[in-house]
Amino acid sequence: MHPRPSPIAASLYTLRDLNADVIIMHGPHGCCFRTGRLLETDGVRVVTTAMTENDFILGASEKLEQTLKEVNEVFKPKLIGIVGTCASMIIGEDLKEPIEKLNLDSIILPVASHGGFGEGDNTEGAIAVLKSAVEYDVIPQEEANRQIKMLKLATEIEKTRGMAKGNYIKPNFGDNKEKVAKIIVKYLAENKKVCFILNAKKETSYLFADIINFNYEDINPNNKPMILANLDENIGLLRIRNHAINVKNDLKENNVNIDYITGGLDEYPIAPKIAEKFLEANDFDLVVVFGVPHALHIENFSCKSIAITDGPRLVQPLKDLGYDYVIAELDAHSKTLGTEKIVDSDFGMMIRSVINWENE
């Protein structure tokens, strides 16, 4: 009942992950404008065919053809994505026709996505991009199959454990950050066993990794926390693997070392299974899960637990799953677009502040 991410936006982000130079949105100029503007900061040029009411009746294939010509002349792109919208897809616009007619040197991926695509899940838009990328030889079928599997699992998690369960969920900004940060510092100071689990989605890892970006020796040099993370640099598209490399390098510069790798940054639906096996084999007093915490079955463990999410509408579902405390980090996507470095998170800064207060 409440607003959820759009298949159109997912198509845009997935084309970004394929390193598209330009994305053409075939629809009104206002469609998905916030996502388009955000992606500009990530190095992707996003333009629109600016369909109007007359185009809804008469069609806009000529506008799409003209936009393709202008994009080719202005940007000289290697890879272009054309993303359908509700307006162009409902009237049955053929996205392939102008591609075949112009025969440009660029690789052009047509993506017939729209707001109600499939079941309306945002992942449907990403899957449509992957299928087009296979058709035009941008990625191999095996990689597309792997990613489609991850996307379907992600949808299942949201529908069973997240904010897509069907009922209206009121936004909730979680527990007091200072109070929860003091709990983490207290547990480490008192020699209790603490496990941090980073289970981040792609570029949001630049924000969530900041939560462990502190020196435990400033709290208790004899009590190193265990750190698990889905930062496998050998899995996924080149852009995503580079995110993992960048995050690990930043952490190493601050003497923060990952103890156990649970998977890649696009494997957040399955990486928690590895983490759960680790938790089963080791007793911890406190477990802190951040990124996509609802993918981990915290209800199977009796320790004290903290979740950090980027969705205010995920706070209550996380509480219902059994997390003792839940923190909401806002604007994770907007804060991490266009960066290759870890960015300050509100909760990470609070942990470091509490450490400084304790040492004064």
Side-chain angles (χ1 to χ4, degrees), residues 43-244:
V44 186
R45 305 281 77 85
V46 182
V47 301
T48 172
T49 55
M51 290 178 67
T52 61
E53 286 185 345
N54 285 339
D55 300 316
F56 303 161
I57 300 169
L58 302 174
S61 59
E62 291 183 2
K63 280 190 172 181
L64 177 54
E65 183 179 327
Q66 182 59 37
T67 304
L68 266 172
K69 287 180 181 178
E70 291 184 29
V71 161
N72 188 60
E73 292 170 2
V74 173
F75 300 109
K76 305 295 188 295
K78 294 180 180 178
L79 179 59
I80 303 171
I82 302 176
V83 176
T85 64
C86 298
S88 58
M89 294 298 93
I90 287 173
I91 66 173
E93 287 282 279
D94 185 349
L95 303 183
K96 293 185 177 182
E97 181 182 355
I99 297 173
E100 295 167 354
K101 184 177 180 180
L102 293 176
N103 193 29
L104 301 175
D105 291 334
S106 306
I107 298 172
I108 305 174
L109 301 183
V111 184
S113 180
H114 57 81
F117 192 43
E119 295 296 319
D121 298 314
N122 62 315
T123 48
E124 296 281 1
I127 290 171
V129 172
L130 294 170
K131 289 180 176 179
S132 184
V134 170
E135 181 180 351
Y136 288 84
D137 296 321
V138 174
I139 60 173
Q141 183 69 60
E142 294 76 16
E143 176 61 18
N145 290 343
R146 187 190 66 81
Q147 292 202 36
I148 289 170
K149 177 183 177 181
M150 293 301 109
L151 290 164
K152 289 182 176 180
L153 287 171
T155 298
E156 181 183 346
I157 289 168
E158 288 301 331
K159 287 186 172 181
T160 58
R161 301 175 62 80
M163 66 175 181
K165 290 190 290 186
N167 298 326
Y168 178 79
I169 303 172
K170 182 180 178 180
N172 183 327
F173 297 97
D175 294 299
N176 181 276
K177 291 181 175 65
E178 181 180 338
K179 173 185 174 181
V180 178
K182 286 181 175 178
I183 292 171
I184 292 175
V185 173
K186 182 175 185 289
Y187 270 62
L188 288 171
E190 295 179 352
N191 286 310
K192 293 183 178 180
K193 294 179 67 177
V194 178
C195 183
F196 289 97
I197 301 174
L198 172 65
N199 188 49
K201 179 180 178 181
K202 299 182 180 181
E203 72 275 2
T204 64
S205 57
Y206 289 118
L207 179 132
F208 285 112
D210 184 58
I211 290 165
I212 51 175
N213 203 17
F214 66 89
N215 189 346
Y216 76 93
E217 293 185 354
D218 293 335
I219 305 171
N220 182 349
N222 299 313
N223 188 25
K224 181 188 181 302
M226 189 65 63
I227 299 176
L228 283 63
N230 62 325
L231 291 173
D232 192 328
E233 60 196 59
N234 300 307
I235 296 175
L237 300 174
L238 178 62
R239 186 185 191 94
I240 307 307
R241 285 186 272 129
N242 283 339
H243 292 334

Side-chain angles (χ1 to χ4, degrees), residues 239-308:
R239 186 185 191 94
I240 307 307
R241 285 186 272 129
N242 283 339
H243 292 334
I245 292 170
N246 293 338
V247 170
K248 285 198 288 190
N249 286 342
D250 271 11
L251 289 173
K252 284 180 181 177
E253 287 181 7
N254 290 325
N255 297 315
V256 178
N257 295 307
I258 308 300
D259 296 295
Y260 201 83
I261 297 294
T262 57
L265 282 172
D266 63 4
E267 293 190 315
Y268 56 92
I270 64 171
K273 292 182 179 180
I274 306 296
E276 286 169 16
K277 290 181 180 179
F278 190 88
L279 294 180
E280 289 168 0
N282 299 271
D283 292 325
F284 289 98
D285 299 300
L286 175 65
V287 173
V288 186
V289 190
F290 37 109
V292 186
H294 49 299
L296 186 138
H297 288 72
I298 196 64
E299 62 270 26
N300 295 335
F301 303 94
S302 58
C303 58
K304 193 69 90 175
S305 58
I306 298 169
I308 302 99

